[in-house]
Amino acid sequence: MGRLRRDRAVAEAAPEDRAQVLMDSGQMDSTATSITDVLTGGTSEGVTMKEALSMPAVWDAINFLSAAMAGLPIEVFEKTDETGGDTKLTGGVADVLGAAVNDSTTSFSWRETFFAQVFGPGRAYSYIERDRRGEVINLFAMEYERVTVRKVKGRLFYDYMEPSGRVKTYAGKDVIDIAYMLKPDHVSCHNPVMTCASAIRQGLNANRYALTVFGKNGVPPYVLKGPFTAAKEMMRAAADLMKVTRRSAEDGKPILPMPAGHDLVRLGDDPEKMQLTPVQIFAVGQVARIYQLPPVFLQELSKGNYNNIEHQDLHLVKHTLRRWVEKFEQELTLKIFGRGSRRYVKLDLDGIMRGDFKTRIEAIVKAVQNALLTPNEGREMMNKPPLAGGNTLFIQGATVPLEMAGTAFNKNAPPADDGDGHSVDGDSDRPAEEPDETTETTETK
């Protein structure tokens, strides 16, 4: 009876209240929007997911961040009580996370698709499949549109509608769940695209206006002059002229027919005069702010130089990727191993330096020369096989105590005294030599 009551409570729990993501942009056809609507702000401030992805800055941001998270090496460790660091595990769940999450999906492909959902609709889910012993054997992506999240007595449940129409419920401990930003109830989430739709719409309007002005079917802004006696007559003539112009452009006719006594004066279609270029650059900056990305990673280099681009590279790792890496590590550790486990998942941010061969080699060389890595550990980082004698730590021998500086170059000089009658050469049992009483010193003379 207790189980039946629990199942009934799960079925009757309130579902997740989230914004509907419209994947079809047919209700906002850009070709049907007139110049007047764009200039006067007559278009809606809302935006669909498909429209947002048509903006190059949004497309670039989502692709860049998802690929960056997918490209980081992922490893599994186990905490040890011994000194010398934790133990790196291989095989089993380490291969599932690092190589292939199931029989048909690689780890890179799974993580790239997973984070594309996080930075797009705002949330991503994956189901964890375990064997009879509770070990993880597969991970399966769950489509965002098919998942509904519910909370029952503080615990999360995920209802997944399969293509057949059957709804299957998964417990929270069996679902990897990463949201762009959760709401206070930890059930619903904020969608970055829908939340910042007005800023994205501004960029889309700028792109649409540029296409309208410079496209083959576009009409540049002009002033129509003629013997008009009423405003309605003028607007009717302008509308007729626009229809004729569009028809002439579609038919490829090079001549524009003009009524007698009318004149079409060019108002100007220079991007700089219309401030079209600054608006488009500003729109890219808005998208960079939404995703906390330095503008250089959205290919916006209008104010880029060598120094600030290098610092933007550091900003990417310290302030953007680092928090997503930590969130992903904790979610995987909790859902795969459970609370209190000595095993944990770690993403290696050093892997982002893989493309910089010179910096990578210099870092490994310094680590080996200062006894931080053995030569074989350095070779492993470069995917090289170990060599005999390469498991020994080495350190540079040129650093000596200050009192011994220059001793090696003055072989005839007596050993230095430490003030207690002992030489600094390490032989503390031998007292300092007493001066010969028969020998006269310079001061006696």
Side-chain angles (χ1 to χ4, degrees):
M1 293 299 295
R3 181 179 178 184
L4 291 175
R5 285 194 296 269
R6 185 169 57 253
D7 293 343
R8 186 178 302 141
V10 170
E12 295 175 354
E16 175 189 10
D17 182 16
R18 62 181 178 183
Q20 185 70 21
V21 180
L22 301 177
M23 303 304 293
D24 185 12
S25 63
Q27 58 182 342
M28 289 186 180
D29 190 0
S30 60
T31 59
T33 305
S34 65
I35 303 176
T36 306
D37 291 336
V38 177
L39 291 177
T40 60
T43 56
S44 172
E45 291 185 357
V47 64
T48 64
M49 196 64 211
K50 187 174 182 179
E51 278 188 311
L53 290 176
S54 68
M55 184 176 176
V58 176
W59 175 269
D60 190 17
I62 295 176
N63 273 274
F64 175 81
L65 286 172
S66 58
M69 291 299 298
L72 295 176
I74 185 170
E75 299 169 335
V76 178
F77 291 87
E78 184 172 3
K79 297 178 182 178
T80 60
D81 298 328
E82 301 176 358
T83 58
D86 298 338
T87 303
K88 180 180 177 181
L89 304 180
T90 58
V93 67
D95 289 342
V96 172
L97 293 174
V101 295
N102 55 58
D103 294 337
S104 60
T105 309
T106 64
S107 175
F108 185 96
S109 178
W110 169 68
R111 281 185 282 167
E112 186 178 36
T113 307
F114 187 89
F115 279 99
Q117 293 290 303
V118 173
F119 299 120
R123 200 165 187 174
Y125 315 93
S126 287
Y127 168 67
I128 304 173
E129 184 182 11
R130 309 176 192 269
D131 58 14
R132 294 182 178 179
R133 297 177 300 173
E135 298 292 333
V136 176
I137 56 176
N138 288 308
L139 298 177
F140 294 101
M142 303 167 66
E143 297 179 42
Y144 172 80
E145 294 81 8
R146 296 180 177 273
V147 180
T148 303
V149 185
R150 294 181 291 109
K151 180 182 287 187
V152 180
K153 295 182 180 181
R155 287 180 168 81
L156 294 178
F157 293 89
Y158 298 82
D159 296 330
Y160 183 72
M161 180 178 290
E162 298 179 346
S164 61
R166 186 171 66 96
V167 177
K168 191 171 183 180
T169 301
Y170 298 99
K173 62 183 181 64
D174 294 326
V175 177
I176 299 172
D177 178 9
I178 295 288
Y180 190 87
M181 180 182 292
L182 285 172
K183 293 183 179 180
D185 60 1
H186 277 227
V187 175
S188 305
C189 70
H190 293 282
N191 185 322
V193 173
M194 302 302 172
T195 305
C196 304
S198 58
I200 297 176
R201 169 58 61 190
Q202 185 181 29
L204 290 172
N205 287 348
N207 292 341
R208 182 181 294 117
Y209 183 65
L211 179 63
T212 305
V213 173
F214 302 106
K216 73 173 185 177
N217 296 332
V219 180
Y222 289 96
V223 175
L224 181 63
K225 293 183 178 181
F228 301 113
T229 58
K232 291 184 179 180
E233 183 181 354
M234 178 185 66
M235 294 299 296
R236 189 182 306 110
D240 293 340
L241 181 60
M242 183 174 289
K243 292 179 181 179
V244 173
T245 306
R246 286 187 181 276
R247 191 178 302 111
S248 299
E250 292 174 356
D251 296 340
K253 297 178 180 179
I255 299 176
L256 176 64
M258 290 293 296
H262 291 72
D263 188 16
L264 196 62
V265 181
R266 180 176 178 177
L267 182 62
D269 53 5
D270 188 353
E272 294 184 0
K273 293 180 180 179
M274 294 187 300
Q275 296 185 345
L276 183 60
T277 302
V279 169
Q280 289 178 314
I281 293 177
F282 178 75
V284 175
Q286 290 285 68
V287 175
R289 293 182 185 96
I290 294 172
Y291 290 100
Q292 296 181 333
L293 270 176
V296 64
F297 295 102
L298 298 183
Q299 311 303 318
E300 205 292 281
L301 303 174
S302 60
K303 296 182 180 179
N305 55 56
Y306 179 80
N307 289 330
N308 63 20
I309 287 178
E310 185 178 10
H311 282 82
Q312 289 182 57
D313 198 19
L314 297 175
H315 180 279
L316 171 71
V317 177
K318 292 172 59 178
H319 303 293
T320 302
L321 290 183
R322 184 172 175 268
R323 71 186 184 97
W324 289 109
V325 166
E326 188 170 351
K327 181 185 289 190
F328 194 46
E329 288 175 345
Q330 292 190 5
E331 179 72 10
L332 291 177
T333 300
L334 175 64
K335 298 299 178 63
I336 291 178
F337 301 116
R339 296 172 61 185
S341 176
R342 300 180 66 87
R343 296 184 178 185
Y344 62 93
V345 179
K346 184 177 180 60
L347 272 69
D348 189 4
L349 275 171
D350 293 337
I352 206 168
M353 296 173 53
R354 189 173 182 179
D356 190 351
F357 182 78
K358 180 176 180 293
T359 304
R360 185 175 174 85
I361 287 293
E362 290 177 352
I364 294 176
V365 169
K366 288 183 179 180
V368 172
Q369 291 179 348
N370 291 278
L372 298 177
L373 294 175
T374 64
N376 279 343
E377 289 173 338
R379 291 178 60 84
E380 183 181 359
M381 296 175 67
M382 299 299 298
N383 293 325
K384 301 292 184 181
L387 296 177
N391 293 324
T392 304
L393 287 173
F394 295 91
I395 192 169
Q396 293 284 350
T399 304
V400 297
L402 183 62
E403 293 83 359
M404 296 182 63
T407 302
F409 301 97
N410 190 2
K411 296 182 180 180
N412 295 325
D417 198 313
D418 63 359
D420 295 330
H422 301 87
S423 61
V424 298
D425 60 357
D427 191 0
S428 59
D429 296 330
R430 181 166 56 89
E433 295 182 0
E434 299 291 339
D436 190 352
E437 296 180 356
T438 61
T439 305
E440 284 188 327
T441 62
T442 306
E443 293 181 357
T444 305
K445 290 182 181 180

